[in-house]
Amino acid sequence: MQIYLAVTPAEAQEAARFRCSLAHVAYCIGSDSALLRQNLLLQTRGGLLSVTDRDAPFIASPERLSAAAIRECGRRGYSGVLLDFEQSPTPDRLAFAETLARHLAPRPVYVPESYAAASGTVSLVCTAVSGGSFLQYLQGAAAERAGAGKLALDVQRLRMDFTLPARSGEGRPLSASEFQALLDQESPSVFFSQDLCARYFTYTREGETHFVLFDDADTLQQKLQTGTRMGFSAAFLMYPEVRDLLPRLFPARRT
């Protein structure tokens, strides 16, 4: 399984110290179906082209945008494209994903889980599971796509606070500072959930019991190992989310 760190141009040099490939979050969609590049170093080579659709206009010509992405892959030696799309699927974006996947093959085009219907693409599966079984969740996703080889892991770092009983199954996301403050204040006993492949602790405040589920380097490593054993094609980690864990997750390159 190929592991990628998603990085902005400002983060790329620091992230390159670790034994991971990089997905360069440096591209967006402009008017007239143009591919725009943002502050990328001239010497950048290899990894993936990552393009966002944030504030992007309607893609009038999926062919034109696809051709621009393929030319950029050729210039920079990119081995594929990550479509970091935030908007819900629309016909123009689906057409672009399918057109790009058709012309870029056999190089992969990775798409959000909501774009799984785009033919020829590799869809992401989020690892931030807060209920049931992590393994069964991945097995179910693989069964729906006729195998894990057409899937990649979207490795999201869990930090979630649930007020019990959590009937909705939804908790409150914690920022890094909020999570650390909670640890410092409560000094809790921490346990490991084999089913969720995550750590957890409980605490009581104002008469309510809270359940906090979170990832650390060990749980993320186990999730990556599970994906590797199952045959997932790739895994993506957002550099800012895991920056403090990288020395434990991946060895640094020799200098």
Side-chain angles (χ1 to χ4, degrees), residues 40-83:
L40 195 65
L41 295 176
L42 289 174
Q43 66 267 31
T44 299
R45 295 289 184 278
L48 297 179
L49 184 160
S50 178
V51 58
T52 179
D53 69 340
R54 184 179 300 174
D55 300 324
F58 176 81
I59 302 173
S61 176
E63 289 282 352
R64 184 183 306 138
L65 184 57
S66 295
I70 292 168
R71 286 194 300 271
E72 185 71 0
C73 286
R75 280 194 293 264
R76 302 259 180 190
Y78 293 143
S79 58
V81 174
L82 170 65
L83 300 185

Side-chain angles (χ1 to χ4, degrees), residues 1-206:
M1 183 171 69
Q2 183 67 54
I3 298 174
Y4 294 96
L5 286 176
V7 297
T8 64
E11 298 162 342
Q13 187 170 358
E14 183 179 353
R17 297 187 298 117
F18 300 96
R19 294 183 182 275
C20 294
S21 296
L22 302 181
H24 296 281
V25 184
Y27 298 86
C28 61
I29 302 168
S31 58
D32 297 324
S33 304
L35 181 70
L36 305 181
R37 184 174 61 242
Q38 303 172 321
N39 303 320
L40 195 65
L41 295 176
L42 289 174
Q43 66 267 31
T44 299
R45 295 289 184 278
L48 297 179
L49 184 160
S50 178
V51 58
T52 179
D53 69 340
R54 184 179 300 174
D55 300 324
F58 176 81
I59 302 173
S61 176
E63 289 282 352
R64 184 183 306 138
L65 184 57
S66 295
I70 292 168
R71 286 194 300 271
E72 185 71 0
C73 286
R75 280 194 293 264
R76 302 259 180 190
Y78 293 143
S79 58
V81 174
L82 170 65
L83 300 185
D84 185 19
F85 283 4
E86 300 176 1
Q87 296 186 22
S88 298
T90 54
D92 63 314
R93 282 156 172 74
L94 284 168
F96 167 56
E98 292 183 342
T99 301
L100 180 60
R102 185 169 64 251
H103 292 313
L104 193 63
R107 289 171 289 179
V109 174
Y110 300 98
V111 297
E113 194 168 3
S114 59
Y115 280 75
S119 62
T121 61
V122 179
S123 59
L124 302 179
V125 177
C126 177
T127 64
V129 176
S130 60
S133 163
F134 177 73
L135 178 59
Q136 291 179 4
Y137 165 72
L138 292 190
Q139 289 172 336
E144 289 180 4
R145 290 301 298 267
K150 290 296 184 182
L151 295 171
L153 296 181
D154 177 12
V155 183
Q156 295 185 15
R157 185 175 181 176
L158 266 172
R159 292 192 195 97
M160 194 76 69
D161 188 328
F162 300 85
T163 302
L164 299 179
R167 295 186 177 90
S168 68
E170 296 182 4
R172 181 175 71 88
L174 297 172
S175 67
S177 59
E178 287 175 326
F179 177 73
Q180 189 59 52
L182 196 56
L183 281 179
D184 294 341
Q185 183 175 354
E186 300 295 334
S187 298
S189 297
V190 174
F191 304 94
F192 174 69
S193 169
Q194 188 72 43
D195 283 343
L196 295 175
C197 196
R199 300 201 188 280
Y200 68 93
F201 62 86
T202 61
Y203 70 98
T204 301
R205 185 167 295 176
E206 297 179 356

